[in-house]
Amino acid sequence: MTPANQEKLTRRAVLRGGLCGAAALSLGSLTAALARRARAAGSVWQIDPDKCVRCGNCATYCVLQPSAVKCVHSFDLCGRCRICFGYFDPKAGQYDSGAENQLCPTGAIARGRIEKEFYDYRIDERLCIGCGKCVQGCTTFGNGSLYLQIRHDRCVQCNQCAIAAACPAGAISRVPADRPYLLKTRDRP
Amino acid sequence: MTPVRARILLVALVAALTISAVASGEERYRPPELGPDYVAPRVDWPAGRAAWQQWADLAALAAALLAASYLALRARSRAMLTALMLLSLAYFGFWRGGCVCPIGAIQDVAAALADPARAIPLAVLATFLLPVAFALATGRTFCAAVCPLGAVQDLLAVRPVRVPRWLEHALGLLAYAYLGAAVLLAALGAAYLICQYDPFVALFRLAPWGAWARGGDAAGRVDLLLLPAALIAVGLFVARPYCRFLCPLGAIFRLLGPLSWRHVTITPGECIRCRLCENACPFGAIEPPTGDRPGDLRRDRRRLGAALALLPALAVLGALGGWAVRNELSRAHPSVRLAERVRLEETGQAQGTTDASDAFYQTRRPRADLYAEASTLRARFAVGGAILGAFLGLVVGAKLVSLSLRPSRSGYEPHRGRCLSCGRCFAFCPVERKRRGLPPKPPPGKNGTPDA
Ligand code: SF4
Ligand code: SF4
Ligand code: SF4
Ligand code: SF4
């Protein structure tokens, strides 16, 4: 190695050291700038039931199959209607639990009589695909007690929820992880 | 009309009347008082992952980065690096399902930087910073044995071909464009490009492992495998195509790599210029020594001068180009698209409604409000587009400058930006082989696959 070469090398090394330090410094300041706003608590994706328009994307756009979105039932809102707009197909020939009379494509809603003219509608989450058909019926004509939520036992918490990117209503956003659902209840403000 | 339908219509009519009567729109039917024996069914609200789990992930990331740096720079063990890579693939890929990863976290950081009102979870910030800090300290050891995306490709590079230098340089620019676009779209709240086109995340979530890892019955969608399949097909012959030509984090690494404090070396001692490692790297990252290069110093200086002079011109040109496509760029934002659609519907140029415009009307938000939001966004995209264009111009210019530099290398060295610290070349070096007590000459192997 010629002396000139050697000198060049050390100059190079010094230059690199300086640049490395500068880069480390700017990384540090980036950290400092963001750390003040960083929260220890994480966040999770959730559907705002008031914004959702039941478009059906929840069933098809989730990266999981079946979707991590399921219908949930707010029993304190439900009118226990005998003719449930979420349960019966508008073209239903009869108001019984025949498959052809049900709105739900997978038969995920179980209908049971409570007393008098009152019925319970329970969602079987293993069957529900989150298509929102029942939600649409119940919201348009009923009490809106059926609604869609991302279920956190299934959701893999994609950095960008694939449904959020496809939701026409912008109804899906991040919420604090310690309050991971946006509930519909009777005494909601 | 069947009696049933008539009845439904009647009920619907009553319902409609009730809507107008009850302002809230809910409780069209008063929930009944049910008998004392009745208990409403319980609805479960399963919690997501516990908070400590995200810290466990971070600890795993830090540990893997430390181990990878140690194995690549100190232990110099390709076998151990491979083992660590498989572990990382299993944990960060298949077990954790791929999210949140340091590549995608670029977008969260960009969004948080652009919007002061936006908080960023500490774990996400650290997920981005850890690998970058390590890259500055020890080179791309993250790529060597931590990144699950890299691992998939590394395992599948069975017949790597040599990519011509000029093509390597040209394709390498793609990643900067991808990085720039992803940062812009995330910063302006339009989309998370990197996540949308993540090449392997669908693979990580497939049944049976995806379902097993979460103890549920939901598995990844098979129809999302098109992108992985295409990339794997290319990757059989072009080693780690995503890492070299597309990965936005790889682009950041390539910018930082040349500045790194320490870096993997091919030989543990002095390079004896035996040329045995010349073709060892499947990623074309090995640079030959420059000592005896026939040099026309004057010509090279002139070339460097021209490249330097071109740099600002390219930046300005890029900025103009980015500004020129501002409207096209702004359509990446859903609000801009919605505003355009609503405007078309308002002026009667479009018939009917879309899901998005329906949802918009349902909110009763004034149109003017949406239009105002869209024009603010358009203005931001004009500035952002210009910045993106200038960045791309600078990247191209910097590439030209770096190509006209006269680096001096006394021996074979890994390129600090392109080298993934995988350790494949170690076993080609006779100095290394002597250190390990192996016969001096590696068997004639294909690119990057010696015996040890
Ligand atoms: S994609 Fe949005 S609007 Fe459509 S069903 Fe899901 S939450 Fe509702
Ligand atoms: S975050 Fe992912 S898994 Fe969860 S609902 Fe959205 S797309 Fe599905
Ligand atoms: S280049 Fe990107 S994808 Fe490849 S190993 Fe590095 S971070 Fe992972
Ligand atoms: S360690 Fe060697 S073989 Fe691996 S990427 Fe770097 S130069 Fe190429």
Side-chain angles (χ1 to χ4, degrees), chain B residues 94-415:
Chain B
F94 291 116
W95 172 259
R96 286 290 299 113
C99 274
V100 50
C101 80
I103 313 177
I106 294 173
Q107 303 162 116
D108 298 80
V109 171
L113 277 178
D115 179 0
R118 205 181 146 116
I120 178 170
L122 214 52
V124 176
L125 180 61
T127 303
F128 169 72
L129 287 174
L130 271 176
V132 174
F134 265 89
L136 213 49
T138 58
R140 299 173 71 170
T141 47
F142 173 76
C143 304
V146 186
C147 179
L149 277 63
V152 174
Q153 299 171 79
D154 207 272
L155 291 175
L156 290 166
V158 289
R159 289 250 174 285
V161 296
R162 189 163 257 287
V163 178
R165 260 304 137 91
W166 64 268
L167 193 60
E168 176 98 33
H169 285 299
L171 288 176
L173 292 175
L174 282 179
Y176 295 105
Y178 194 14
L179 171 68
V183 165
L184 177 69
L185 293 191
L188 294 183
Y192 269 29
L193 214 55
I194 300 174
C195 296
Q196 224 155 318
Y197 296 103
D198 186 298
F200 294 115
V201 76
L203 188 74
F204 298 146
R205 292 164 176 171
L206 279 190
W209 49 79
W212 172 74
R214 283 181 305 284
D217 52 359
R221 269 162 55 193
V222 180
D223 59 319
L224 294 179
L225 286 184
L226 214 63
L227 204 59
L231 217 60
I232 285 172
V234 174
L236 295 177
F237 306 105
V238 180
R240 291 213 192 193
Y242 184 77
C243 299
R244 285 154 80 191
F245 309 131
L246 290 171
C247 179
L249 187 60
I252 295 181
F253 286 162
R254 269 189 281 153
L255 290 174
L256 293 181
L259 315 179
S260 62
W261 175 58
R262 290 277 185 276
H263 198 276
V264 146
T265 55
I266 302 172
T267 168
E270 190 98 359
C271 176
I272 53 171
R273 298 192 232 178
C274 62
R275 302 185 55 190
L276 286 174
C277 67
E278 200 163 42
N279 292 320
C281 182
F283 316 114
I286 295 182
E287 304 275 4
T290 51
D292 39 2
R293 191 169 66 174
D296 179 346
L297 202 61
R298 285 260 294 287
R299 201 200 55 203
D300 282 4
R301 286 233 166 107
R302 238 183 295 126
R303 232 207 290 167
L304 180 59
L308 281 172
L310 211 55
L311 200 66
L314 281 171
V316 171
L317 212 67
L320 286 176
W323 187 77
V325 295
R326 62 194 181 282
N327 283 338
E328 286 70 18
L329 275 178
S330 72
R331 291 204 186 101
H333 199 292
S335 295
V336 174
R337 288 199 303 269
L338 176 63
E340 288 184 352
R341 173 74 202 182
V342 168
R343 171 87 75 187
L344 287 180
E345 285 175 18
E346 186 186 16
T347 55
Q349 283 163 276
Q351 300 304 314
T353 56
T354 61
D355 278 340
S357 66
D358 276 340
F360 168 72
Y361 298 134
Q362 188 186 288
T363 61
R364 310 246 170 95
R365 187 176 163 205
R367 280 200 191 90
D369 210 42
L370 176 67
Y371 296 157
E373 185 195 340
S375 55
T376 314
L377 280 168
R378 277 194 205 100
R380 283 203 195 134
F381 268 97
V383 177
I387 295 177
L388 172 63
F391 168 71
L392 293 183
L394 280 178
V395 163
V396 174
K399 177 105 263 178
L400 291 179
V401 170
S402 81
L403 287 179
S404 30
L405 282 177
R406 285 171 59 91
S408 73
R409 279 180 300 267
S410 54
Y412 283 86
E413 282 177 19
H415 183 275

Side-chain angles (χ1 to χ4, degrees), chain A residues 47 51-58 130-131 148 163 166-169 171-172:
Chain A
I47 301 173
K51 288 189 184 162
C52 168
V53 294
R54 291 82 58 187
C55 67
N57 284 357
C58 272
C131 70
L148 294 175
I163 316 173
C167 175
I172 304 184

Side-chain angles (χ1 to χ4, degrees), chain A residues 1 5 8-9 12 16-17 19-21 23-25 27 30-31 33-35 37-44 50-55 57 60-68 72-83 85 88-95 114-116 118 120-122 125-126 137-144 147 149 151-160 162 165 168-169 174 177 180-181 183-186 188, chain B residues 2 4-5 7-8 11-12 15-16 19 25-36 38-49 54-55 96-97 99-101 104-105 107-109 111-125 128-129 132-133 136-137 191-192 195-196 205 214 216-224 256-261 270 291 337-338 355-360 362-363 406-410 416:
Chain A
M1 209 184 279
N5 215 342
K8 217 168 160 191
L9 269 181
R12 212 170 265 275
R16 173 178 291 156
L19 284 176
C20 178
L25 221 73
L27 200 64
L30 174 82
T31 316
L34 285 177
R37 268 192 279 133
R39 286 186 279 97
S43 56
V44 294
D50 290 334
K51 288 189 184 162
C52 168
V53 294
R54 291 82 58 187
C55 67
N57 284 357
T60 46
Y61 277 85
C62 181
V63 298
L64 301 181
Q65 204 72 48
S67 171
V72 292
H73 203 174
S74 165
F75 285 97
D76 61 344
L77 273 180
C78 177
R80 269 54 180 213
C81 319
R82 188 174 77 83
I83 301 171
F85 301 99
F88 289 111
D89 192 309
K91 296 191 287 293
Q94 271 173 322
Y95 292 125
I114 311 170
E115 58 189 61
K116 293 180 247 167
F118 301 131
D120 245 356
Y121 300 90
R122 307 175 189 219
E125 280 196 13
R126 283 165 310 169
C138 178
T139 313
T140 333
F141 298 118
N143 277 3
Y147 61 109
Q149 287 285 283
R151 305 295 282 168
H152 293 301
D153 49 344
R154 294 162 191 272
C155 176
V156 290
Q157 292 303 336
C158 312
N159 193 32
Q160 162 71 8
R174 283 190 172 276
Y181 294 93
L183 304 185
K184 256 187 150 176
T185 63
R186 212 169 167 192
R188 194 167 55 155
Chain B
T2 63
V4 170
R5 266 207 219 174
R7 225 179 325 156
I8 282 228
V11 180
I19 298 176
E26 271 172 14
E27 276 203 12
R28 293 180 191 118
Y29 309 95
R30 174 155 280 283
E33 297 294 332
L34 296 165
Y38 175 75
V39 213
R42 232 169 59 90
V43 180
D44 281 328
W45 301 104
R49 302 179 69 238
Q54 75 182 16
W55 304 116
R96 286 290 299 113
C99 274
V100 50
C101 80
Q107 303 162 116
D108 298 80
V109 171
L113 277 178
D115 179 0
R118 205 181 146 116
I120 178 170
L122 214 52
V124 176
L125 180 61
F128 169 72
L129 287 174
V132 174
L136 213 49
Y192 269 29
C195 296
Q196 224 155 318
R205 292 164 176 171
R214 283 181 305 284
D217 52 359
R221 269 162 55 193
V222 180
D223 59 319
L224 294 179
L256 293 181
L259 315 179
S260 62
W261 175 58
E270 190 98 359
R337 288 199 303 269
L338 176 63
D355 278 340
S357 66
D358 276 340
F360 168 72
Q362 188 186 288
T363 61
R406 285 171 59 91
S408 73
R409 279 180 300 267
S410 54
R416 286 185 169 227

